[in-house]
Amino acid sequence: MIRDPFNLHRSSSAFKSTSPRPDTTQPDEPSRAVANDFEMSFSIPKNLPAFANPQRNLEDRVWGSGASSGRSGLPMYKDKPYGFVPRNRPFWKRKRAVGLAAIVFTVLYWTGFFSSGGTSKQDAPKDWGWMTSPQEEAVDWDKRRDHVVEAFELSWDSYKRYAWGYDEYHPISKKGSNMSPKGLGWIIVDALDTMMLMNLTSRVQDAREWISKELTWEQDQDVNTFETTIRMMGGLLSAHYISNEYPHLAALKDDDEGAAGEDLYLDKAKDLADRLMGAFDSASGIPYASVNLEKYEGIPSHSDMGASSTAEATSLQLEFKYLAKLTGEKDYWDRVEKVMKIVDDNGEQDGLLPIYIYATSGEFRGNNIRLGSRGDSYYEYLIKQYHQTNNQEPIYRELWDEALQGVRKHLVTYTENSQFTIIGERPHGLGKPMTPKMDHLVCFMPGTIALGATGGLTEAEARKLPTWSKKDEADMELARELMHTCWGMYKFMATGLSAEITHFNIARPPPSSEAAHQAPKDFDADPEAEWRKDFMVKPNDVHNLQRPETVESLFYMWRITGDIRYREWGWEMFRSFVNHTAVPNEGGFTSLSNADILPPKVKDNMESFWLAETLKYMYLLFSSDDLLPLDKMVLNTEAHPLPRFDMGPMFSTGWKRKARDANGVMIGKKAEEEDA
Ligand code: DMJ
């Protein structure tokens, strides 16, 4: 059993003033169904074989998965934000498909299917009262928070009813599927700490019992190093942290099934970490994309010439460092820290990195630079590593500042008509043309920039510090502008839910970054409104995967600025999710394959981060600020809270940056390039 040798878990009196909602509903009770202002179109897939996952198979086919290539149902990096590109099929196949469709159509027609609109009466979503009741006079944020809990309960209970123990849940077909023969606890572990925070005791008990009795990492299964670390290891570590820090939340009795062994979560996290450590056994120390759990063995990516994603290789640090601190095993720390040195030793210009890196050589592959998929959380973990060790490692602050400066210099630009601020991409390297598009994933940036500026204090508190600078002021301004753009990505869509990727019509040449760029404060609903001319969504990008990044940033922006508009936007977003993604018959909530039509087209998948992140951030956004104070903890990239801590005598920053000249160019880098 693992103890807490460093006494990280003091109990928090600060939290006591919040009143977490008691867990009143038993999981087996029928859940409330959800009102839906618009009729939804549900394309119900045929019965799925036990281990099949249509979404993943589709992604594997289309993107040739960096990590899995669909060989073994391996959890893959899901954030390839591209829509389905139909493959060229032989004509006879297409013909057959057309014939089949005609037969199905005829049968449905004669059975009267279309006359009932494709939805039988009993399938129709029930009314979720508050959605239709008149606008409250005074906004009651506790009540709104309760509605988020209801949405969570609805999602979880339908998962429990129809897919308990499975890694994936398909809420329309009401089926589960696994990513490994025995399952990896993908949904249960990822959702666990949200339930703790919501004080859903009986559900936490069920989850704990499953983890105790069913979850095993002893499986001959390749898993994605990053996804498994941030979701499973992050989820378990955070459950350990929360159950120690807030013991009154979802408290289990000693004799509860599965409660035996107070260190269950930590034991499971450590067992998993030991297996994942195999990923770092590469020639350079950069982790391989995948790991075989039973063999403790790293596996290079099956595509991208074996390169790992940069974000994946550099977003493991918070989890392994916390585990090192808890267990006193320094090796966890050293391995992930070394990755940061190897990355930085490449001496990339202005702190912006290409999105692939070879585990063999530690060098980057290609020049594609973006803050969306495969790039995103590298930047996020720079500032969060600085915070995690109570600002005791200035090297990570320096890296973050340099990268943010690089973002301003090379990626930030403005739209043509309404001067929205965007972060574009440089697919062929810095100095080459920009692609003015933003993955929804990039919307983690506004909140992270604000967090970097104030360190987690409120803006008002931070402004009083002697260290507050003009640069911090400018960073807050950039955060506000980007938040506005990310919200525009929601307002632009028919459902009010953002597309996976949005393109922008940018001003060429761009206005000076010094000039005031005043995007319109409100989003005029007129379809011809000027602001809409700056936004564009391509047909392949219209899906909405229940992603958290925008509400994540709204949460940080609300906590830091106290501007009520961010809470209001979060509420509007929540209503849109309820309106357009709730599944009839207590199915929970689903991703959409087209969020830009009414009724939307559904995708039949509930992402685990819907429970782990999206609903958690909404809950936090509507909670009081002393629930998880921003200056006391860091949320990992899957929204699993981990504590900030002092490094103590055992740990230190074990590396230094190579020398740079006055322009930030690494000394010797030019000569190296010339030789090459
Ligand atoms: C999550 O798994 C994490 O937030 C990750 O950093 C990015 N992708 C998804 C959510 O969009």
Side-chain angles (χ1 to χ4, degrees):
M1 248 193 249
I2 301 154
R3 299 285 155 206
D4 181 3
F6 301 96
N7 194 21
L8 284 173
H9 302 297
R10 304 151 310 256
S11 66
S12 154
S13 55
F15 178 68
K16 287 189 184 112
S17 61
T18 59
S19 50
R21 200 175 169 281
D23 182 19
T24 45
T25 320
Q26 287 305 304
D28 291 326
E29 283 172 12
S31 325
R32 278 146 291 200
V34 177
N36 193 340
D37 286 354
F38 298 90
E39 199 190 348
M40 297 165 75
S41 69
F42 295 96
S43 57
I44 301 175
K46 302 201 186 77
N47 284 349
L48 301 165
F51 301 127
N53 168 9
Q55 180 193 341
R56 196 172 303 286
N57 291 342
L58 180 71
E59 285 175 332
D60 279 354
R61 274 207 321 275
V62 175
W63 299 298
S65 168
S68 74
S69 75
R71 294 194 326 176
S72 53
L74 170 67
M76 54 173 284
Y77 195 96
K78 287 186 170 190
D79 298 325
K80 292 166 217 67
Y82 306 103
F84 175 62
V85 182
R87 289 192 302 184
N88 283 337
R89 292 169 144 221
F91 176 67
W92 64 268
K93 273 198 182 167
R94 273 185 274 154
K95 218 166 129 192
R96 201 169 63 173
V98 169
L100 200 67
I103 294 167
V104 171
F105 181 87
T106 314
V107 171
L108 290 177
Y109 179 80
W110 285 109
T111 53
F113 182 85
F114 295 113
S115 57
S116 66
T119 320
S120 72
K121 273 219 175 98
Q122 67 167 38
D123 279 346
K126 287 179 209 138
D127 187 33
W128 206 6
W130 60 268
M131 282 292 288
T132 45
S133 58
Q135 189 76 27
E136 317 135 22
E137 270 165 29
V139 172
D140 180 343
W141 291 102
D142 283 351
K143 235 179 167 181
R144 290 184 171 185
R145 185 176 76 153
D146 286 350
H147 293 317
V148 174
V149 178
E150 285 171 43
F152 183 96
E153 289 170 337
L154 199 63
S155 308
W156 175 264
D157 292 352
S158 68
Y159 164 71
K160 172 137 198 256
R161 186 170 302 113
Y162 299 113
W164 183 239
Y166 283 101
D167 293 324
E168 297 180 307
Y169 176 42
H170 311 293
I172 294 172
S173 48
K174 298 190 170 49
K175 286 197 163 46
S177 53
N178 263 342
M179 301 188 302
S180 77
K182 292 182 196 161
L184 296 166
W186 214 244
I187 291 183
I188 295 177
V189 174
D190 218 7
L192 178 60
D193 61 3
T194 309
M195 294 190 287
M196 289 177 159
L197 291 170
M198 291 179 174
N199 201 24
L200 301 176
T201 311
S202 60
R203 293 169 179 85
V204 170
Q205 196 177 314
D206 290 341
R208 187 177 169 103
E209 190 180 333
W210 189 90
I211 292 169
S212 161
K213 291 186 175 162
E214 308 289 338
L215 182 61
T216 172
W217 306 120
E218 187 62 13
Q219 301 189 48
D220 184 9
Q221 177 67 40
D222 299 352
V223 299
N224 177 288
T225 310
F226 162 78
E227 297 286 7
T228 311
T229 301
I230 64 162
R231 299 188 199 209
M232 299 301 97
M233 197 175 141
L236 289 163
L237 287 174
S238 152
H240 172 80
Y241 166 55
I242 293 178
S243 55
N244 282 281
E245 185 75 5
Y246 302 121
H248 57 291
L249 284 181
L252 301 183
K253 289 184 259 87
D254 280 348
D255 55 357
D256 279 341
E257 280 256 50
E262 59 174 12
D263 292 330
L264 173 69
Y265 303 136
L266 187 48
D267 289 341
K268 288 282 180 196
K270 186 178 178 327
D271 181 10
L272 175 59
D274 291 340
R275 296 163 193 269
L276 293 170
M277 285 281 273
F280 298 91
D281 291 336
S282 65
S284 72
I286 293 290
Y288 288 117
S290 308
V291 172
N292 182 291
L293 287 176
E294 193 179 72
K295 298 183 183 143
Y296 295 64
E297 222 174 69
I299 303 160
S301 168
H302 301 302
S303 57
D304 311 313
M305 310 273 287
S308 304
S309 294
T310 303
E312 295 191 6
T314 55
S315 311
L316 313 165
Q317 283 65 19
L318 297 179
E319 296 79 1
F320 277 90
K321 284 181 170 180
Y322 178 44
L323 186 63
K325 183 73 183 172
L326 283 172
T327 59
E329 290 187 30
K330 201 167 166 296
D331 201 29
Y332 297 130
W333 186 290
D334 294 344
R335 294 292 196 101
V336 291
E337 185 180 64
K338 186 178 172 200
V339 175
M340 302 309 294
K341 174 176 166 46
I342 300 165
V343 163
D344 195 55
D345 280 357
N346 278 278
E348 290 305 300
Q349 193 188 338
D350 295 328
L352 300 179
L353 312 185
I355 59 170
Y356 292 105
I357 187 163
Y358 289 110
T360 41
S361 64
E363 288 168 0
F364 288 105
R365 169 170 188 251
N367 299 309
N368 193 348
I369 290 172
R370 65 175 178 231
L371 267 69
S373 68
R374 301 185 185 277
D376 49 4
S377 45
Y378 162 70
Y379 304 94
E380 177 188 349
Y381 270 34
L382 292 179
I383 191 64
K384 288 186 175 175
Q385 282 184 83
Y386 177 63
H387 291 157
Q388 182 181 37
T389 47
N390 281 332
N391 306 351
Q392 289 163 355
E393 297 180 274
I395 201 166
Y396 296 112
R397 170 95 241 175
E398 186 183 326
L399 289 172
W400 164 254
D401 286 340
E402 184 179 309
L404 184 56
Q405 193 46 35
V407 168
R408 284 181 184 281
K409 184 169 163 195
H410 300 282
L411 305 180
V412 166
T413 192
Y414 307 93
T415 65
E416 170 97 72
N417 298 291
S418 300
Q419 301 214 329
F420 284 96
T421 304
I422 72 152
I423 296 180
E425 301 180 359
R426 298 275 176 188
H428 306 292
L430 303 181
K432 299 276 161 47
M434 171 186 280
T435 302
K437 81 189 221 310
M438 274 169 69
D439 296 351
H440 184 271
L441 292 165
V442 181
C443 290
F444 78 95
M445 273 298 273
T448 306
I449 293 171
L451 184 66
T454 71
L457 298 177
T458 65
E459 192 176 12
E461 288 165 343
R463 278 207 175 112
K464 289 187 199 138
L465 297 176
T467 47
W468 185 257
S469 63
K470 270 193 171 165
K471 182 191 158 295
D472 295 322
E473 205 67 63
D475 286 353
M476 286 305 300
E477 195 45 41
L478 180 61
R480 285 189 177 85
E481 290 175 10
L482 288 168
M483 190 75 260
H484 197 60
T485 307
C486 287
W487 182 236
M489 289 158 63
Y490 280 69
K491 296 298 282 183
F492 184 67
M493 301 289 284
T495 54
L497 294 171
S498 173
E500 181 71 359
I501 303 176
T502 305
H503 288 251
F504 297 90
N505 176 19
I506 56 168
R508 296 180 203 262
S512 146
S513 60
E514 303 301 318
H517 346 95
Q518 291 296 338
K521 206 162 160 267
D522 299 310
F523 293 88
D524 185 346
D526 180 348
E528 298 305 316
E530 197 68 5
W531 71 271
R532 295 184 65 87
K533 297 179 185 149
D534 284 344
F535 289 65
M536 207 254 290
V537 173
K538 296 190 173 172
N540 281 340
D541 305 329
V542 289
H543 44 296
N544 176 286
L545 302 184
Q546 310 175 296
R547 285 199 192 277
E549 291 77 19
T550 297
V551 68
E552 170 183 352
S553 278
L554 290 174
F555 158 67
Y556 285 114
M557 293 301 285
W558 157 249
R559 283 273 180 106
I560 289 169
T561 68
D563 186 338
I564 193 75
R565 138 185 30 183
Y566 300 124
R567 257 189 164 177
E568 289 295 356
W569 288 353
W571 176 243
E572 193 179 327
M573 183 195 296
F574 177 68
R575 287 178 63 97
S576 299
F577 273 117
V578 171
N579 248 338
H580 301 296
T581 71
V583 177
N585 261 350
E586 292 149 18
F589 292 81
T590 181
S591 308
L592 302 176
S593 55
N594 188 348
D596 206 21
I597 49 168
L598 294 175
K601 263 196 173 166
V602 293
K603 200 168 162 63
D604 197 15
N605 195 48
M606 182 189 78
E607 295 287 346
S608 73
F609 50 69
W610 166 248
L611 304 176
E613 298 196 71
T614 310
L615 289 175
K616 184 189 283 143
Y617 282 124
M618 286 184 177
Y619 183 77
L620 291 173
L621 177 62
F622 305 146
S623 293
S624 68
D625 295 359
D626 47 9
L627 177 56
L628 298 178
L630 279 189
D631 58 344
K632 297 281 178 303
M633 52 93 220
V634 282
L635 287 143
N636 88 340
T637 191
E638 187 75 4
H640 296 305
L642 308 173
R644 296 186 183 199
F645 54 79
D646 286 334
M647 298 216 289
M650 187 163 210
F651 302 103
S652 57
T653 309
W655 67 288
K656 286 202 173 77
R657 301 189 73 192
K658 288 188 176 169
R660 264 85 174 159
D661 68 17
N663 297 319
V665 178
M666 199 169 79
I667 313 278
K669 168 100 175 155
K670 266 204 183 123
E672 245 176 55
E673 278 168 1
E674 276 158 20
D675 286 351

